[in-house]
Each structure stands twice: as structure tokens, then as C-alpha cells.
Amino acid sequence: MDNKVRSKRYTRLVGSFVLLLLVNVGCMAGGEITVASQVPREADIVHAYALSNRDRMHVASQPEQSVTPHNRMAIIIDDVGNDMKGTAEILAMPVKLTVAVMPFLPTTQKDATAAHEKGMDVIVHMPMEPKRGKPEWLGPGAITSNLTDEEVRERVEKAIDDVPYAIGMNNHMGSKITSDKRIMSIVLDVCRERGLFFVDSRTNFRSVVGELAASKNMPPVGNDIFLDDQNSKPHIRKQMELAAKRAVDKKSCVVIGHVGHTGLNTSAVLRETVTQLQGQIEFVGIGDLVREVWDWHIGPTLPTGNK
């Protein structure tokens, strides 16, 4: 007999034997197998023998699970709390964002509560003295370099009390304060006591926040990219592209945008781009990122007066 014919017959016999063996095993296990719809692939056969009969039947009954993307982006929106342009649009976003709310302003409580009810993270947007800039840009209750230790502590505590549902804090302006070890040490101490983390907005490349946070066993969280340092949609789109690339390359990215002067452009570009990126990027709150990347699991011990 021709060798090729013998080979084909042998292959068919082996295949039939394996199939009958699987049917018998399935019946012995009390299972019910429809041969026509469950012809096993080679990889399936190997996997089946690695499982017990009970486990094999359980796996066969489960649908394939989609893989959750691990490229995470936390988008923080600053300057909320004064009914600024773009606030309503930001609160209506279809993904989870983080809202940085300034204390002691007309819509502080309202905006923080609305963001929380929509499932967004809320952090205190703490006004801090810059190296340059107009004092009126700071807002009430700002941390300035002429304050005593006690005054710094008091202002930080009051700001936390004024922003409902706050789980963290970042700096509004603050290029002068974030390079001041004395003041930032107090700010971080208060945050830690209240169960809050601190996000360095990185308005000063000489910031000491990351170093101090690490020394206090706090997560050294910092902004990676400003979205709207120029108020144009093409620029904001470009910054979102950079942020998405970083999220893929580094597996996580923290970005900051704003309501107010750039609010309408920022919110429009965000709505457009997050829809396009949802299959590639997982949009998370900054609290999610802090827990997952920096393993920060200290629960918030919110003070009296802060929900």
C-alpha cells in the first residue's frame, strides 16, 4: 500500500480515537457534549487534560472575557468652584474624571457634590502663592510664604473642610510654595492626617513635593502633561495625543486641564478624544491611579463638616 495512503488512514484513526476518548470522558463526568458543535482544537485538548473533569465542564460553560486595558489615564480638571465656563460640560463627560475644586467660592459645594454624584473623584484645588502673578488670581484662603506654621495648618484644614467628598489635594498656581520645604511639609502632614494624598501640579520644576511625599510614605503623584497651556483646540488635541502615547508607553498618565478661560475648548476636545480612545485607554479617577500605581490604601478620615 502506498505510504501516503497509509499515513492518511493512520491520521484519521488517531483523530477518531481522540474524539471518542473525549466523548467518553465527558459522559463519565456526567457532562453532555454535542460533538458537532464542540470539535476540539489541539490547544483545547492539551488544556482539557490539564484540568479536572469538573473544572473542564465549568470552563466550557463560561463565555470569553474581554481584557480590561491597563493603559490608564487620570484627567484632572482644575479651577472648578466658581461656575466657570466649561464646568457643566466637564460634569457631563462620559468617562470618569477628577474635579479639582477651589475652596470658599460661590459654587464650591455645589460643584463638588455634583461631581461626586456623577462618580467622579473630587480633590481640593489649594490656592498657593506663585513666583509671578496677580494676587487676585489666587482666590480666598491661599497659602502664602509669609504665613506661620500654625496659619498654614489652619488654612489647609479649613480648605479641606470646605470641599465636600475630597479625597486628595493639588496646588492652584503655587510655583513659590511648592519649592518651600517648610510650608509643603505642613501641607502634606495635614493631608496625611486627613487621609488625603497630594498631587503636584508641577508648576515649578524645582518642586520639593515628590521628595517630601516619599519621605512621609505618601504617593509622589505629579502631573505629566498640561492639556490647555495654550487655548486652542489643535494644541489641546496634540497634548491629548501625547498623553495617550505616554499612557501606553508608561501604562499610566496624569494630565491637567481647566475650566474657565480654556474651558469650552478643553471640554469639547475631551469629549471628542475620550470617545476615540476608550478602546485603548482606561480613564480612571486620580484616586484609582493612586491606589493601583502607588499602592496607597489609607482610607479617607474626613473631618467634621466634610461629607
Side-chain angles (χ1 to χ4, degrees):
M1 184 180 293
D2 186 85
N3 287 338
K4 290 184 178 179
V5 173
R6 287 196 190 97
S7 177
K8 288 180 180 178
R9 287 184 177 179
Y10 178 75
T11 300
R12 285 197 295 269
L13 285 170
V14 171
S16 299
F17 176 75
V18 170
L19 186 57
L20 286 170
L21 178 62
L22 287 174
V23 171
N24 288 334
V25 170
C27 292
M28 290 171 65
E32 183 175 324
I33 298 178
T34 305
V35 176
S37 64
Q38 296 192 28
V39 177
R41 299 170 299 168
E42 180 181 357
D44 295 333
I45 294 171
V46 173
H47 183 60
Y49 279 103
L51 299 172
S52 68
N53 290 336
R54 179 180 177 184
D55 287 342
R56 186 176 70 257
M57 299 308 296
H58 175 72
V59 170
S61 68
Q62 299 300 310
E64 290 188 12
Q65 299 295 318
S66 59
V67 178
T68 301
H70 293 289
N71 307 321
R72 291 161 294 190
M73 185 185 299
I75 301 174
I76 301 173
I77 302 298
D78 284 354
D79 298 342
V80 177
N82 202 26
D83 200 23
M84 305 284 273
K85 289 181 181 178
T87 300
E89 289 79 0
I90 288 296
L91 292 175
M93 284 292 157
V95 296
K96 186 173 184 178
L97 303 179
T98 298
V99 175
V101 182
M102 295 185 70
F104 317 118
L105 292 178
T107 62
T108 295
Q109 310 274 326
K110 172 189 169 187
D111 292 344
T113 300
H116 174 76
E117 289 176 349
K118 290 177 181 293
M120 298 182 179
D121 282 353
V122 176
I123 63 175
V124 179
H125 193 41
M126 189 73 212
M128 294 183 173
E129 182 181 353
K131 289 182 177 179
R132 293 182 298 275
K134 298 178 180 180
E136 58 266 27
W137 291 349
L138 276 174
I143 303 297
T144 54
S145 55
N146 61 340
L147 297 178
T148 66
D149 291 5
E150 293 74 19
E151 288 170 332
V152 171
R153 170 173 283 276
E154 182 182 12
R155 290 197 179 193
V156 176
E157 288 178 341
K158 285 184 176 180
I160 294 172
D161 288 345
D162 198 59
V163 180
Y165 306 105
I167 62 171
M169 177 180 289
N170 74 342
N171 52 292
H172 170 63
M173 303 176 74
S175 55
K176 186 172 184 177
I177 299 302
T178 54
S179 61
D180 188 315
K181 284 190 176 181
R182 174 185 73 89
I183 294 179
M184 283 312 306
S185 184
I186 299 166
V187 172
L188 293 180
D189 284 345
V190 175
C191 285
R192 183 176 175 82
E193 291 164 10
R194 299 296 185 94
L196 276 62
F197 52 85
F198 191 95
V199 182
D200 184 2
S201 298
R202 289 181 176 156
T203 55
N204 181 358
F205 73 94
R206 296 186 185 278
S207 171
V208 298
V209 174
E211 173 191 345
L212 282 175
S215 72
K216 296 174 184 291
N217 294 317
M218 296 177 69
V221 196
N223 173 38
D224 294 312
I225 294 174
F226 278 107
L227 293 179
D228 46 14
D229 48 324
Q230 296 178 29
N231 186 20
S232 74
K233 287 184 178 180
H235 178 76
I236 298 169
R237 286 191 191 98
K238 178 184 175 183
Q239 295 300 91
M240 275 297 290
E241 289 172 6
L242 292 174
K245 184 178 186 305
R246 183 180 178 89
V248 171
D249 292 344
K250 304 292 184 182
K251 300 304 176 187
S252 66
C253 184
V254 178
V255 302
I256 290 180
H258 300 79
V259 294
H261 177 58
T262 65
L264 294 178
N265 282 338
T266 298
S267 58
V269 172
L270 280 182
R271 177 169 286 276
E272 162 194 315
T273 54
V274 297
T275 302
Q276 297 168 356
L277 292 170
Q278 273 186 291
Q280 309 163 45
I281 306 292
E282 181 184 5
F283 293 95
V284 298
I286 190 64
D288 301 317
L289 206 59
V290 164
R291 287 186 292 273
E292 294 167 13
V293 175
W294 286 278
D295 198 29
W296 172 264
H297 294 286
I298 295 179
T301 53
L302 298 178
T304 302
N306 194 333
K307 297 179 182 179

